[in-house]
Amino acid sequence: MDLRQMEVVVAVAETGGFTAAARRLHVVQSAVSSTVRALERELGTALFDRTTHRVALTRAGEAFVPAARATLRSAELAREAVNAVQGKLCGRVTVGTMQGVWAGLHHALAALRAEHPGVVVQLRQAAVADIRQALREGTVDLAVVALDRQQQRGLTTRLLSREDMVLLAAPRRVLVGATPDGEVRLADVAELPLVDFPPGWAIRHAVDRSFRAAGVDRSTTFEVNDIVAAAELVRNDLGVCIMPRSIADRFPELPQYRFDHHAPHWKVMVVRPPGEPPPAVAALLRHIT
């Protein structure tokens, strides 16, 4: 068994097929198929269930792929360590992030690029639950995300900011119960058509938590997985939306309302697996403030 065989199997698993894996690896499909068959013969078991419509991991494949990813990453880290000793910082850093926290990250990426042009950064945007799982699996090196206390377990974290959330509404919408200085109650907001984000999103988690703490039931009118789409629904007065103030500020034409009590909030932090970070990851961490 060698690293190339592991790389091929991981590519098939991640792309969902032999043809897609061949495109990723810049080889012909027959080369991918023969590599997988040879490894399966060596292991004495099939790694994939093959049908005319799909390719799926077997139980053996599900066990093999995470270990193969870890091995490939270890080999990459070994190369990076040698380069660091020689005074060359190269390698790859995979960064997980959520919609809404990009503004504070691009400065760090620009500084890393200027300091170490040989380091390649891959950005992976996903829901916070998926990013946390990727950190545990080792497919993401670090992340800038919002986690609650329970989600932080088993990870190394550093707080970047704490931010309250606000309510966005259309300019022509009159909010019953709003105070003259722009405060609203969660109970009044629950009576309005709400634009929500999907479960697993950090914003949704914070909003759910606040409504539970206030003892208020609410229902979702629209559920979207894009911040701009949420703002468009609000702009057209189809609903109201709760989001962090820094994100809401990107839509200055939409009035913002503060919450009088139980305001949803999130804590944005840089998160990584425990232990000493690889040199390229450590270099990026120095620039994230």
Side-chain angles (χ1 to χ4, degrees):
M1 185 187 310
D2 57 36
L3 294 177
R4 181 59 177 176
Q5 290 175 313
M6 295 184 187
E7 184 182 19
V8 170
V9 170
V10 169
V12 174
E14 291 181 347
T15 61
F18 289 82
T19 301
R23 285 197 296 266
R24 174 193 283 191
L25 299 171
H26 306 292
V27 297
V28 296
Q29 180 180 337
S30 59
V32 172
S33 299
S34 61
T35 298
V36 173
R37 284 196 301 269
L39 182 56
E40 288 176 328
R41 285 195 299 270
E42 180 180 344
L43 295 173
T45 187
L47 298 175
F48 296 97
D49 282 327
R50 303 159 174 86
T51 70
T52 55
H53 300 292
R54 60 192 292 269
V55 173
L57 287 168
T58 63
R59 290 184 62 186
E62 290 175 349
F64 179 87
V65 168
R69 285 195 185 107
T71 301
L72 291 169
R73 184 58 177 148
S74 294
E76 189 173 1
L77 292 177
R79 287 191 293 268
E80 291 177 13
V82 173
N83 287 332
V85 169
Q86 296 174 332
K88 300 180 296 182
L89 189 58
C90 302
R92 170 181 55 85
V93 180
T94 303
V95 180
T97 186
M98 315 173 305
Q99 283 198 41
V101 299
W102 168 251
L105 186 56
H106 73 273
H107 297 294
L109 297 179
L112 177 69
R113 180 68 177 231
E115 184 179 17
H116 301 292
V119 175
V120 176
V121 177
Q122 296 179 332
L123 286 178
R124 178 176 173 182
Q125 183 173 281
V128 66
D130 295 333
I131 292 175
R132 186 178 185 279
Q133 183 63 27
L135 285 165
R136 293 168 64 91
E137 294 174 350
T139 55
V140 165
D141 296 304
L142 66 89
V144 179
V145 289
L147 299 179
D148 62 21
R149 187 178 299 276
Q150 183 176 4
Q151 292 170 325
Q152 297 173 34
R153 292 177 181 174
L155 298 171
T156 299
T157 65
R158 174 161 55 90
L159 182 65
L160 298 177
S161 65
R162 182 194 185 282
E163 184 179 14
D164 282 343
M165 298 187 185
V166 297
L167 183 75
L168 278 189
R172 59 183 176 275
R173 179 178 286 273
V174 177
L175 297 186
V176 176
T179 65
D181 61 349
E183 284 192 345
V184 294
R185 300 188 310 149
L186 282 173
D188 293 329
V189 172
E191 301 299 322
L192 301 172
L194 286 175
V195 180
D196 256 330
F197 298 100
W201 277 48
I203 297 176
R204 174 67 176 266
H205 182 73
V207 171
D208 287 346
R209 184 176 58 220
S210 289
F211 275 101
R212 284 196 303 268
V216 175
D217 293 327
R218 66 87 153 75
S219 59
T220 297
T221 305
F222 297 98
E223 186 175 283
V224 296
N225 62 355
D226 181 77
I227 290 170
V228 174
E232 281 299 312
L233 290 169
V234 173
R235 183 178 290 110
N236 287 279
D237 201 22
L238 294 173
V240 297
C241 184
I242 300 171
M243 60 177 65
R245 186 184 299 275
S246 61
I247 300 177
D249 286 343
R250 302 178 192 179
F251 310 102
E253 72 282 6
L254 301 178
Q256 298 181 17
Y257 298 86
R258 303 184 309 278
F259 292 95
D260 62 346
H261 294 97
H262 300 290
H265 68 275
W266 70 3
K267 294 180 179 179
V268 176
M269 55 194 68
V270 58
V271 186
R272 62 177 178 85
E276 189 70 22
V281 175
L284 178 56
L285 284 169
R286 287 193 294 271
H287 292 294
I288 297 178
T289 59

